[in-house]
Amino acid sequence: NAGVTQTPKFRILKIGQSMTLQCTQDMNHNYMYWYRQDPGMGLKLIYYSVGAGITDKGEVPNGYNVSRSTTEDFPLRLELAAPSQTSVYFCASSYSLYNEQFFGPGTRLTVL
Amino acid sequence: EDQVTQSPEALRLQEGESSSLNCSYTVSGLRGLFWYRQDPGKGPEFLFTLYSAGEEKEKERLKATLTKKESFLHITAPKPEDSATYLCVHRGGYQKVTFGTGTKLQVIP
């Protein structure tokens, strides 16, 4: 099992550009999450999904969008990138709501 | 304000020198207290879940304990490979999840 995979590993964007961060899990988990991690701060939840076709906002959703068409994939879309979106983004999945989450390796995004 | 506070922020130990990391929280409605390990440039890796006060979990040189408002991660006779950042996570109701900022542990040979 590959677990949770994320692409790309690194990306540099110009202000105003858009991009999609990809996330795939092969554990057949219904629950998937997107977090951002900023220096000196705890991870913050951006969006989450409880199953295919069902998504909801987390703590810091502004500037992002998600979709969940399959159990395996949970892409995160950045529209009109801003410097404040410079961060490391982690995707995670879990078997149920209160079980441990399995994290991907992260995407380091810089917006200049 | 809901907070998870970890202390110390950084800890430097000699190999074999036991110590404890602290996680205190003001968030209500605990549905699970999680500990993760994070190595530089990688995603967090799950270590333990604690659900109720008095519960303890052990794995190799690590032991996690939970009281009503804090959790401790005890490291016994650490080795250099235990060097990492240790994250504490409070899981509340539904999608209420609060991460601490972590304790960066360095174990010197």
Side-chain angles (χ1 to χ4, degrees):
Chain A
N1 284 353
V4 179
T5 57
Q6 293 183 238
T7 57
K9 285 187 171 23
F10 304 93
R11 183 73 185 267
I12 298 175
L13 283 182
K14 293 182 179 178
I15 295 172
Q17 286 185 321
S18 300
M19 76 165 293
T20 299
L21 281 66
Q22 301 291 345
C23 174
T24 300
Q25 53 93 8
D26 63 359
M27 297 172 281
N28 202 33
H29 287 165
N30 281 326
Y31 296 83
M32 295 188 74
Y33 315 83
W34 274 106
Y35 294 92
R36 60 177 289 170
Q37 186 176 37
D38 299 310
M41 306 281 288
L43 276 75
K44 300 290 186 185
L45 182 64
I46 304 171
Y47 270 95
Y48 64 94
S49 170
V50 302
I54 307 170
T55 63
D56 206 349
K57 296 177 181 179
E59 189 180 352
V60 290
N62 291 345
Y64 308 95
N65 276 300
V66 293
S67 59
R68 182 106 180 263
S69 57
T70 67
T71 300
E72 294 78 21
D73 300 305
F74 189 38
L76 177 71
R77 178 84 178 159
L78 277 73
E79 305 281 3
L80 298 175
S84 61
Q85 294 178 303
T86 294
S87 188
V88 181
Y89 291 84
F90 289 102
C91 178
S93 72
S94 66
Y95 174 72
S96 72
L97 195 57
Y98 300 113
N99 279 100
E100 68 272 19
Q101 295 180 12
F102 294 85
F103 285 81
T107 294
R108 183 175 294 274
L109 175 68
T110 302
V111 182
L112 299 173
Chain B
E1 181 187 347
D2 293 338
Q3 276 194 324
V4 172
T5 303
Q6 291 189 246
S7 61
E9 288 186 14
L11 182 62
R12 189 168 169 164
L13 298 173
Q14 291 291 323
E15 185 172 0
E17 180 186 2
S18 301
S19 188
S20 296
L21 282 54
N22 177 261
C23 169
S24 62
Y25 51 91
T26 58
V27 192
S28 59
L30 179 70
R31 302 299 294 269
L33 191 292
F34 296 79
W35 283 96
Y36 289 84
R37 168 195 172 123
Q38 186 174 24
D39 293 297
K42 296 192 175 181
E45 178 185 340
F46 171 73
L47 293 172
F48 302 109
T49 310
L50 302 165
Y51 291 104
S52 57
E55 191 175 358
E56 298 183 353
K57 295 269 180 77
E58 280 190 73
K59 180 180 179 180
E60 295 180 356
R61 295 176 294 282
L62 300 176
K63 183 167 92 170
T65 62
L66 182 64
T67 68
K68 284 198 172 178
K69 284 297 179 186
E70 58 188 348
S71 177
F72 293 91
L73 185 66
H74 307 279
I75 304 176
T76 302
K79 297 182 178 182
E81 53 262 41
D82 295 322
S83 298
T85 296
Y86 291 85
L87 302 176
C88 170
V89 186
H90 179 286
R91 188 63 181 233
Y94 201 54
Q95 289 301 342
K96 183 66 177 174
V97 56
T98 309
F99 279 76
T101 53
T103 292
K104 185 173 183 179
L105 173 66
Q106 185 181 17
V107 182
I108 312 297

